[in-house]
Amino acid sequence: MSDELKGRVAVVTGGGRGFGRAIAMGFAAAGAAVVVTARTKSQLDETVAMIESAGGRALAVEGDVKERADVERVRRETEARFGPATIVVHNAGVPWPFGPTWEVEPERWWEAQAIHVYGAMLYINAFVPTMIERGGGHVILVASGAGRGVRPYLSGYGVAKSTQIRLASFLAEEGRQHGVYAFSITPGNVLTELSELTMADPMAQKYLPDFVGNLSRRKAAHEDGSEGLRRCAELCVALASGRCNPLSGRYLTPDDDLEALLREAAAGAQSA
């Protein structure tokens, strides 16, 4: 364990599995107290047990990111157990719906926006005011490269991720004077439960056969995603630590050379 985040309190949505679990464990290993939240309590309990067995501190709070009452309960239980959070990661997400925009169910498409975007807004609304009162904090929205381009038949996911990237840039601009820094990231290319949901979806099989086939081949090869999960966690620790504050508002990936980007940012600030 390190002490890079010692004394910090972090909340991670979608923290019961995949990237969310990896990020939570990375924060705990860096010294933060971590609250993980999702709808499946058993998965959250597994994350907490893993963190505690490694000597960290963690709390599981079941909740739906789309429900304001649940988000407020997460905030209350976080503060009661560990104190106010100064790190929030919105990682919860879904890959669906799949298909042409004129065929997908509008309600299901809108639900995808609610999970990715409305959920992010609820967490920002619930936690950032206290960050401002206490001198600042960090917000990380787990987006995707799908938000940077157009992949047909993925409009629900792509629009949501594009909005997350833009939302982080707005929060960064508005929060800078208050010491609040925001980032959007792509977590990397690792087989997770979202991959499983994609492979099992008939509409994904119909409209994205190459994509589904690639996922299936990777699964059959028993691809080890541990390195990708580790690199995602390291990126989030770096962003939450404060050493990347000059990059606030940017979309970043585990492949980015953060030190080089920081040097570029410093040079740009000097010449401005």
Side-chain angles (χ1 to χ4, degrees):
M1 295 183 66
S2 71
D3 61 359
E4 193 167 11
L5 300 180
K6 184 177 181 180
R8 304 287 297 280
V9 177
V11 174
V12 181
T13 73
R17 64 194 186 207
F19 286 113
R21 174 177 287 177
I23 293 167
M25 293 180 67
F27 284 163
V34 184
V35 175
V36 288
T37 182
R39 293 184 298 173
T40 306
K41 185 63 159 54
S42 60
Q43 293 178 343
L44 296 174
D45 289 339
E46 289 176 4
T47 301
V48 169
M50 294 171 72
I51 289 173
E52 291 181 340
S53 68
R57 297 181 298 155
L59 172 68
V61 183
E62 186 177 357
D64 188 332
V65 298
K66 307 187 307 299
E67 299 295 331
R68 181 184 290 269
D70 285 4
V71 176
E72 287 297 328
R73 179 166 47 78
V74 172
R75 181 187 61 78
R76 290 195 304 271
E77 294 192 25
T78 297
E79 294 179 355
R81 178 72 171 271
F82 296 128
T86 56
I87 303 167
V88 169
V89 178
H90 184 54
N91 165 74
V94 294
W96 40 258
F98 304 98
T101 53
W102 60 88
E103 286 189 12
V104 296
E105 289 291 335
E107 292 79 12
R108 191 160 171 80
W109 192 94
W110 194 243
E111 185 179 4
Q113 310 311 306
I115 293 168
H116 294 104
V117 181
Y118 182 58
M121 281 295 297
L122 287 178
Y123 270 85
I124 290 168
N125 191 260
F127 285 89
V128 169
T130 302
M131 290 183 188
I132 292 173
E133 291 174 5
R134 296 176 63 83
H138 295 81
V139 176
I140 301 171
L141 304 184
V142 179
S144 166
R148 303 271 285 182
V150 176
R151 169 169 263 173
Y153 314 123
L154 274 176
S155 67
Y157 187 77
V159 169
K161 292 306 182 181
S162 178
T163 304
Q164 284 185 327
I165 292 169
R166 196 64 169 160
L167 176 59
S169 66
F170 272 97
L171 178 58
E173 286 298 312
E174 296 164 357
R176 185 171 288 112
Q177 64 179 317
H178 303 290
V180 174
Y181 302 92
F183 308 88
S184 59
I185 70 166
T186 185
N189 187 17
V190 175
L191 293 176
T192 64
E193 188 161 333
L194 266 67
S195 305
E196 296 285 350
L197 291 173
T198 301
M199 287 185 281
D201 193 295
M203 296 298 282
Q205 295 166 9
K206 177 179 179 180
Y207 286 106
L208 297 165
D210 293 342
F211 183 55
V212 170
N214 180 53
L215 293 176
S216 299
R217 286 188 292 273
R218 291 169 59 191
K219 180 181 179 180
H222 303 288
E223 180 178 297
D224 181 7
S226 59
E227 175 65 13
L229 294 173
R230 181 189 63 79
R231 295 181 68 215
C232 173
E234 288 182 348
L235 172 61
C236 288
V237 169
L239 299 181
S241 72
R243 52 191 169 95
C244 295
N245 287 355
L247 305 179
S248 183
R250 296 202 191 188
Y251 167 82
L252 299 165
T253 83
D255 293 329
D256 287 330
D257 184 337
L258 296 180
E259 296 304 321
L261 291 176
L262 286 168
R263 289 193 296 270
E264 291 174 7
Q270 290 175 356
S271 62

